[in-house]
Amino acid sequence: MTTVDLDALVLALDPEGRGGRHDIDTFATELGKLAPGAEPADVPDLVRVTLERGREAGLWSVAKATVRRGRSALPKSIQLIRTVPPGDQRRPVGVPLRPELAGWATSLDLLHTQRTVLLAVNDWLRRTNGGRVAVIPAAERAYEVLGNEKAFDSTPPAGGETLWRPGRLTFDLLRCVRVPTPLTWEPAVPVVGPPGALVCVENHATFRSLLRVLRARTTPRWAAVAWIQGRNTAPLASVPELPLRVTRFDYLGDLDAPGLEIAAAACAVVSRFGIPAGPAETLWRLLADRPSRTGTAVEPGRARDLAEWLPEAVRDRSVELLTDGRAIPQEALRFDLIDRAL
């Protein structure tokens, strides 16, 4: 099972180290950001295991009250342990600051952790003559400045909103950017370059079967096949940078609630770049006709909302599956079925 860095999770939840209560949904959201490759079906177990790891490590305590999330009963909230010393008083940084910082930071009352971040940035600006260096990934800059490559992973980064906002500390000032996870993709055509459609799937077996089918065609329906892992749609921000101009983005996922949520999110990412994005209709029609297995039942209203993204021809069938607690994984589309359909 996927594991996450507990220190990075605590930093994301509590960048100022002040402790406090956080509801389980916030916990799960931040956990998901640190485990983008986790399969949706594995998330409840990942949450439970991570809760226990953090409790044993003394990072938090868990509430006795529980809430239902799908079929799982989870603690309603966690109580993070305060890491800032109780006697830590807010006070100004008390040293001369670079011009980039002095105008807004000199008189700020800051906690120890915030002063540490500010002084480290001040020193970096001094050493780099105001940041006259190349732009690099945020994780690399975080390690250079603070000795912690995960310090800039959270939003806001280490130091919290007091320091990080427009006109104060920004990634532009520190000459760094957050970079998406590289997109896994392969061409289905012998020559990469001409514009074409891209089909994206959520499973590596389907990824390979589609490539095998498309590469056997003289004029394949899609010029390339991409693969994202679970809820990690961030790599799709790389679509405009591919060596072929993507004219259309088609998506195929699992026919269950998490799969449809991921599908809509994936298309939303790509749509931001002006690329038409939606369901791979032929493949969804084929998938909806395959045998189903036991899944998680979905409330009718939510099922209709989820199915709205799908091609009209399979919406009613999909709502029925979702409300009956059935699911069809995309692995149901074997190579031979795809080969005959395309």
Side-chain angles (χ1 to χ4, degrees):
M1 177 183 291
T2 302
T3 59
V4 301
D5 185 319
L6 294 180
D7 290 337
L9 179 56
V10 170
L11 181 63
L13 290 165
D14 185 24
E16 294 189 5
R18 302 182 67 82
R21 190 177 304 278
H22 295 267
D23 65 73
I24 196 63
D25 293 324
T26 300
F27 179 89
T29 297
E30 295 300 332
L31 176 63
K33 293 177 183 177
L34 295 172
E39 294 292 336
D42 295 335
V43 170
D45 284 339
L46 177 60
V47 170
R48 284 193 293 270
V49 169
T50 305
L51 284 169
E52 184 61 19
R53 288 176 60 215
R55 188 190 65 78
E56 291 178 350
L59 298 175
W60 55 66
S61 59
V62 299
K64 292 182 179 179
T66 61
V67 292
R68 300 292 302 185
R69 293 295 180 264
R71 295 185 176 183
S72 301
L74 298 171
K76 186 176 182 180
S77 62
I78 66 165
Q79 180 75 30
L80 281 173
I81 307 303
R82 182 186 179 100
T83 56
V84 174
D88 185 16
Q89 299 295 317
R90 291 183 178 272
R91 58 182 176 82
V93 69
V95 299
L97 296 175
R98 287 273 310 181
E100 298 88 349
L101 308 176
W104 59 268
T106 298
S107 60
L108 279 181
D109 289 329
L110 302 174
L111 294 168
H112 172 74
T113 53
Q114 294 170 326
R115 293 194 297 272
T116 298
V117 171
L118 188 64
L119 289 173
V121 172
N122 190 59
D123 182 61
W124 179 82
L125 289 169
R126 177 187 56 77
R127 289 185 283 107
T128 60
N129 194 21
R132 295 188 179 182
V133 293
V135 175
I136 62 174
E140 296 176 3
R141 187 71 77 214
Y143 190 79
E144 178 190 8
V145 175
L146 294 171
N148 179 359
E149 69 277 12
K150 296 180 174 60
F152 294 170
D153 285 357
S154 60
T155 302
E161 293 181 354
T162 300
L163 299 181
W164 293 87
R165 65 177 74 172
R168 295 190 176 182
L169 295 189
T170 64
F171 282 177
D172 284 343
L173 176 65
L174 290 170
R175 301 285 290 164
C176 63
V177 293
R178 283 193 174 126
V179 292
T181 307
L183 178 64
T184 300
W185 74 282
E186 290 189 22
V189 292
V191 178
V192 177
L198 171 71
V199 62
C200 182
V201 297
E202 189 200 330
N203 176 276
H204 69 279
T206 311
F207 174 78
R208 286 297 168 199
S209 290
L210 268 171
L211 279 171
R212 184 180 169 193
V213 169
L214 294 173
R215 285 171 174 170
R217 303 293 187 267
T218 304
T219 54
R221 182 173 304 193
W222 293 285
V225 182
W227 169 42
I228 60 171
Q229 299 181 49
R231 294 184 181 274
N232 184 22
T233 58
L236 293 173
S238 300
V239 167
E241 301 171 9
L242 295 180
L244 76 157
R245 183 171 65 83
V246 176
T247 57
R248 191 182 74 252
F249 176 85
D250 295 333
Y251 187 88
L252 172 70
D254 294 335
L255 187 39
D256 59 13
L260 293 176
E261 289 173 346
I262 294 167
C267 289
V269 171
V270 177
S271 294
R272 293 203 302 262
F273 303 105
I275 300 171
E281 185 164 351
T282 300
L283 298 178
W284 281 103
R285 286 173 180 264
L286 193 62
L287 184 65
D289 285 338
R290 303 307 303 151
S292 64
R293 59 162 168 76
T294 301
T296 301
V298 177
E299 181 271 327
R302 180 166 178 252
R304 287 191 293 272
D305 289 342
L306 290 168
E308 188 65 27
W309 177 86
L310 289 165
E312 186 174 359
V314 301
R315 287 176 192 166
D316 290 344
R317 162 72 168 152
S318 301
V319 170
E320 180 183 354
L321 284 167
L322 293 170
T323 54
D324 287 347
R326 308 295 295 175
I328 308 177
Q330 62 186 245
E331 288 90 339
L333 290 187
R334 302 188 311 269
F335 162 77
D336 56 299
L337 298 173
I338 298 173
D339 193 34
R340 286 199 297 268
L342 299 181

